[in-house]
Amino acid sequence: MSTRKFINRLAIGGICTAVALVASGCGAGGPAATSGSAGTNTVNVLVEAGGHAELTGVAEQCKKEAGVDVNFVELPYDGMFNRLSSEFSSGNVSFDVAALDSVWLPSFKDAVQPIDELFTDEAKKDIFPALVKEANVDGHFIGMPAWTNAEIILYRKDLFEDAKNKADFKARYGYDLAAPTTWKQYQDISAFFTKDGMFGTDVKGGVETEWLAHVLQAGSPMVLDANNKVVIDNAAHKEALDFYTSLVKDAPSGAAQVDWAAAQNLFNQGKTAMTRFWAHAYRQIPKDSPVAGKVGAAPMIAGSAGIGGVPGPWYLTVPKATKNADAAKKFVKCAYDYNDKGIESNLGLAARISAFEKYQDMPGYESFKPLIETLNGKATATRPATEKWQQIVDTVLVPMLQKAVAGGDSATLLADAKKQIEDLLK
Amino acid sequence: MSTAERTTYDGGTRHKAAPAPSAQTGTVQPRKRRGVNREGLEAGRRGTRTLLWILLAAAMVLYGFPFLYLLFTSFKTPIDTIAVPPTILPREWTLENYANALGRNGVPASFINSIQTAVISTLLSLVLAVPAAYGITRYKTLSGRIFIMAALVTRMVPPVAIGIPLASMMASMGLADTPIALSIAHTTISLPLSIWLMSSFFEAVPKDLEEAATVDGCSRLGALWRVVIPVVSGGVAVTAIFAFLASWNEFLFALLMTAIRSQTTPVVIANFQTQFGLDWGSMTALAAVYSIPVILLTLLLQRKIVAGMTLGAVKG
């Protein structure tokens, strides 16, 4: 058969296929993704790709126990906000439940319905206090935490237990080498391990959460106070920023560009002896990593205000526009009832204290005790509840941190940031 | 090589060049200067050719390296994919990433959706662009010129600005989460440039051809179908490939308008980057597999594409 004939046949075949598909008007992925009809027991759940696995076990259990079938609509994190904005603003949603990042709750508070009935006294006791507070917007609970996370300290147990390192460290600093419990110790250990192509820690200029945790530990609310007044130029913010930049000398170069992925890679490659990182990373160290099986976990370190971390929860919400609110709420209840199912997923997280406690003494879950301690920390708090938060982060906080880790003057940078944030909030 | 020994080519037969006799002395004078020039010319050509080859190699490396890096990464082990500093070749070759990527829920369906959407969008673009471009180039009216400029202006609007309203419109028409809706959206991207491309191809076809066809009894549409389109078939192939690729690789509209049943592969590839980590191996494996159909299609239509590219060159 000549090429011409082949191409012609291919084109004719393509046209016939297309016509057939147009006629059928269907896609290959399964049932239509429109919000279910009232009274049906099938719900569409919109979830970020990383969180899908977290809810798979819940969905299976929910089908068994409550008879609710679940279709997941999986989207990448970077596009999810746009998609949610688009559907909520049109009033025509393709999902019955949406898993929302905590920073999006204030933006979509008017598009989701209250689920107060699910927040029983018993439930409120079993959810970390900061999350209970964050889920309540304008007097109503609008999101059920599905899983949460917080930064803890991950360190190289093998290096910390090495006899020579222990002796050298004691000789140099006068106390035993162990997982740090004060920021002074963290600085000393970072300096100690910065040698022979290795670094004591990382400094992340590309993300803001870690610096904000230091702010909480120093005793100030993050960026905005309870009255939405910008307090980014107060003493606690400066202290936190100065401490943050003091670690640059013991961190890999290019701190301004280091974000979560880069820091995780550096640690998993054995280039850093310690990292402050989200707790889920403990269970995600690749098996062929040089540090696999050699990592220890410790709670976030306390500052003058106590242990403080910034939780990273995701909330299950029910849109006002769904036609299937009953089944949607049944699924949200399932997600609370069978919350521990998420722990067995790749991500390995939950939201209920009892779920974490159930696993905390099992091998492989050593990060849970430090995580619980951090989430229960006296200074732990969620991000300010403002619709502009993401904008503040992207346009003010991260650029400011990048300048700070590159050697900028902290007081000047914080003063500039205050002005920019005030302009954004006007 | 001396001038006397220099060789020439004559109809493929290699022989010694006979030196020309001098008019004054009758002796044979070597044409030194001319020989030197020719040698210099040859050396210059060789130098230019070498330089061009180097530039070509550099351009190939520049354009090909990202794809090769993606391909090599798809064969790396998890720890190798995140090596600091990165390595080009895998330390250990593995097919695990392909198994993970292709075994993931929704991947085969997303491939079918991508093909479906790209084929429908390509057909829509051609069906609309060919008559539009033909009308504009043949009738040369003011409204035609305004139309073609206006078509280009639509390309200047950022897709995100029309993506959200478009998604709402599709939902209100009951087309939410269907390949048809996405194809229509993709046609808004490819149609303007398809019209421009086809216009330039139609411009290259002499009017005499159509007139001859009409003299032979063809209607204008008949002349278009039987005479003009076969002449510009290379251009149609180029336009079709352009429209197909525009849809095949499109991400934003797919993100905004698809969910369970019509999600295309670019969205699934992006799903390997989550808030909690990036699965480089699986992501690159799926991206490599996804690029195979377009590479095959381009190779298959290569001759048509070259013909289409040179169509305008013979205009006149």
Side-chain angles (χ1 to χ4, degrees):
Chain A
M1 184 167 55
S2 70
T3 312
R4 178 178 287 240
K5 269 187 184 169
F6 176 71
I7 292 168
N8 285 343
R9 285 182 187 182
L10 196 72
I12 291 165
I15 291 167
C16 293
T17 313
V19 169
L21 291 169
V22 170
S24 65
C26 62
T34 48
S35 174
S37 305
T40 68
N41 260 343
T42 300
V43 291
N44 295 330
V45 178
L46 182 70
V47 64
E48 193 259 347
H52 181 187
E54 275 287 309
L55 293 173
T56 305
V58 170
E60 284 165 8
Q61 202 65 32
C62 202
K63 188 175 181 181
K64 265 190 226 160
E65 304 294 329
V68 176
D69 278 312
V70 179
N71 296 316
F72 286 105
V73 182
E74 201 178 342
L75 290 179
Y77 182 83
D78 288 340
M80 206 165 151
F81 186 85
N82 280 341
R83 175 66 176 266
L84 287 161
S85 302
S86 155
E87 297 212 15
F88 281 141
S89 61
S90 74
N92 198 344
V93 292
S94 65
F95 47 85
D96 307 295
V97 175
L100 302 186
D101 187 353
S102 55
V103 293
W104 300 337
L105 271 187
S107 301
F108 300 128
K109 65 179 194 295
D110 296 328
V112 297
Q113 48 185 288
I115 47 171
D116 294 317
E117 66 273 26
L118 300 179
F119 277 80
T120 59
D121 288 342
E122 187 199 348
K124 281 187 262 186
K125 269 186 214 152
D126 201 16
I127 297 172
F128 294 100
L131 274 55
V132 174
K133 191 176 164 200
E134 189 171 46
N136 192 318
V137 178
D138 298 338
H140 289 289
F141 289 101
I142 58 169
M144 175 61 76
W147 65 90
T148 189
N149 212 345
E151 277 188 84
I152 58 171
I153 308 290
L154 298 179
Y155 63 96
R156 286 284 299 280
K157 219 164 46 174
D158 58 327
L159 298 179
F160 278 58
E161 286 168 0
D162 179 80
K164 185 173 182 315
N165 282 339
K166 285 176 106 139
D168 289 352
F169 186 86
K170 182 138 193 190
R172 192 158 145 192
Y173 296 101
Y175 61 93
D176 288 331
L177 176 61
T181 53
T182 68
W183 288 113
K184 175 75 179 71
Q185 287 174 7
Y186 194 90
Q187 280 176 319
D188 289 347
I189 297 168
S190 296
F192 178 75
F193 281 115
T194 302
K195 59 188 175 192
D196 307 328
M198 195 173 174
F199 299 91
T201 186
D202 55 61
V203 173
K204 307 171 189 82
V207 286
E208 81 297 348
T209 321
E210 201 160 294
W211 170 63
L212 293 173
H214 290 309
V215 172
L216 294 173
Q217 292 150 21
S220 168
M222 288 174 275
V223 182
L224 304 174
D225 68 8
N227 302 313
N228 266 3
K229 189 176 165 234
V230 184
V231 292
I232 197 170
D233 59 341
N234 69 16
H237 283 80
K238 186 174 182 311
E239 182 192 327
L241 191 55
D242 288 340
F243 172 77
Y244 202 63
T245 54
S246 75
L247 294 169
V248 169
K249 62 181 173 30
D250 300 319
S253 58
Q257 304 309 322
V258 174
D259 57 8
W260 299 119
Q264 192 175 14
N265 285 356
L266 286 164
F267 188 74
N268 286 345
Q269 293 286 342
K271 303 281 180 192
T272 48
M274 294 185 294
T275 184
R276 294 150 291 175
F277 210 88
W278 299 102
H280 75 275
Y282 179 81
R283 286 176 46 76
Q284 289 197 334
I285 296 168
K287 286 190 184 84
D288 57 344
S289 160
V291 305
K294 300 173 184 170
V295 174
M300 182 51 91
I301 297 166
S304 56
I307 289 178
V310 182
W314 282 71
Y315 294 90
L316 295 179
T317 59
V318 180
K320 281 179 181 165
T322 178
K323 294 167 191 155
N324 205 8
D326 288 342
K329 285 181 183 176
K330 268 188 204 170
F331 175 75
V332 176
K333 186 168 183 320
C334 285
Y336 173 80
D337 289 342
Y338 308 109
N339 191 248
D340 58 331
K341 294 285 168 198
I343 290 179
E344 286 156 23
S345 72
N346 288 343
L347 190 56
L349 291 171
R352 287 176 65 175
I353 298 168
S354 60
F356 281 120
E357 284 175 347
K358 187 173 153 189
Y359 284 82
Q360 64 181 350
D361 294 321
M362 293 185 193
Y365 295 94
E366 291 80 3
S367 57
F368 278 11
K369 271 186 184 165
L371 176 62
I372 295 170
E373 197 174 336
T374 304
L375 285 167
N376 278 325
K378 208 166 76 177
T380 293
T382 54
R383 299 165 179 96
T386 167
E387 291 171 32
K388 298 280 178 75
W389 181 249
Q390 198 59 52
Q391 208 180 342
I392 290 171
V393 168
D394 295 339
T395 61
V396 183
L397 300 187
V398 170
M400 182 205 72
L401 275 179
Q402 288 177 321
K403 286 177 196 159
V405 298
D409 176 64
S410 58
T412 311
L413 288 170
L414 290 168
D416 289 347
K418 180 179 183 179
K419 196 174 170 309
Q420 289 172 45
I421 296 168
E422 283 172 343
D423 288 345
L424 277 177
L425 293 175
K426 267 178 195 167
Chain B
M1 183 169 63
S2 73
T3 314
E5 288 169 342
R6 117 188 105 83
T7 57
T8 60
Y9 294 89
D10 181 9
T13 313
R14 196 175 188 188
H15 59 86
K16 298 264 181 181
S22 162
Q24 283 176 338
T25 62
T27 56
V28 175
Q29 295 294 321
R31 285 180 296 186
K32 217 169 205 175
R33 185 174 290 179
R34 197 172 159 193
V36 167
N37 280 349
R38 194 170 284 186
E39 272 182 17
L41 213 62
E42 276 296 317
R45 274 185 196 148
R46 270 199 302 274
T48 310
R49 211 172 293 146
T50 311
L51 187 70
L52 283 174
W53 274 108
I54 292 170
L55 285 175
L56 184 66
M60 278 181 70
V61 168
L62 196 69
Y63 282 93
F65 181 74
F67 183 73
L68 281 178
Y69 190 74
L70 176 140
L71 207 59
F72 289 139
T73 304
S74 70
F75 292 107
K76 289 178 181 174
T77 56
I79 196 69
D80 224 3
T81 59
I82 56 167
V84 181
T87 58
I88 295 173
L89 288 172
R91 289 189 191 115
E92 191 187 324
W93 294 75
T94 176
L95 288 173
E96 200 185 325
N97 297 320
Y98 284 89
N100 284 346
L102 297 175
R104 190 180 161 113
N105 251 350
V107 167
S110 76
F111 260 88
I112 296 171
N113 288 332
S114 286
I115 294 170
Q116 214 169 324
T117 306
V119 168
I120 298 172
S121 169
T122 306
L123 288 174
L124 273 176
S125 292
L126 289 180
V127 164
L128 297 172
V130 168
Y134 180 74
I136 291 162
T137 50
R138 283 299 175 260
Y139 293 102
K140 294 195 184 299
T141 60
L142 178 67
S143 56
R145 259 173 273 156
I146 292 172
F147 174 77
I148 200 163
M149 287 309 294
L152 200 60
V153 167
T154 60
R155 291 286 297 150
M156 296 170 192
V157 180
V160 71
I162 56 170
I164 293 174
L166 206 54
S168 302
M169 280 167 59
M170 295 298 173
S172 59
M173 287 192 291
L175 290 175
D177 194 24
T178 62
I180 298 170
L182 189 56
S183 306
I184 294 170
H186 286 174
T187 306
T188 65
I189 300 172
S190 55
L191 187 58
L193 281 182
S194 296
I195 294 173
W196 271 83
L197 275 174
M198 285 312 303
S199 297
S200 70
F201 294 131
F202 283 135
E203 287 278 5
V205 180
K207 275 187 181 171
D208 301 352
L209 271 179
E210 284 167 75
E211 283 165 10
T214 45
V215 168
D216 286 345
C218 270
S219 63
R220 197 174 261 281
L221 272 180
L224 170 68
W225 182 250
R226 291 192 178 86
V227 178
V228 180
I229 288 183
V231 171
V232 296
S233 61
V236 174
V238 170
T239 310
I241 287 210
F242 161 76
F244 189 89
L245 287 180
S247 174
W248 187 254
N249 293 323
E250 201 280 335
F251 174 73
L252 184 68
F253 287 166
L255 175 77
L256 293 173
M257 299 173 72
T258 66
I260 295 167
R261 65 176 176 175
S262 63
Q263 202 165 61
T264 52
T265 311
V267 180
V268 177
I269 292 173
N271 276 339
F272 285 106
Q273 182 182 10
T274 73
Q275 215 204 359
F276 306 101
L278 172 54
D279 185 354
W280 276 113
S282 304
M283 184 188 246
T284 52
L286 188 54
V289 172
Y290 192 61
S291 60
I292 292 172
V294 284
I295 292 172
L296 288 178
L297 187 71
T298 311
L299 290 176
L300 202 66
L301 296 177
Q302 194 180 21
R303 202 176 294 171
K304 289 269 180 195
I305 295 168
V306 174
M309 296 287 193
T310 52
L311 199 60
V314 294
K315 183 188 169 190

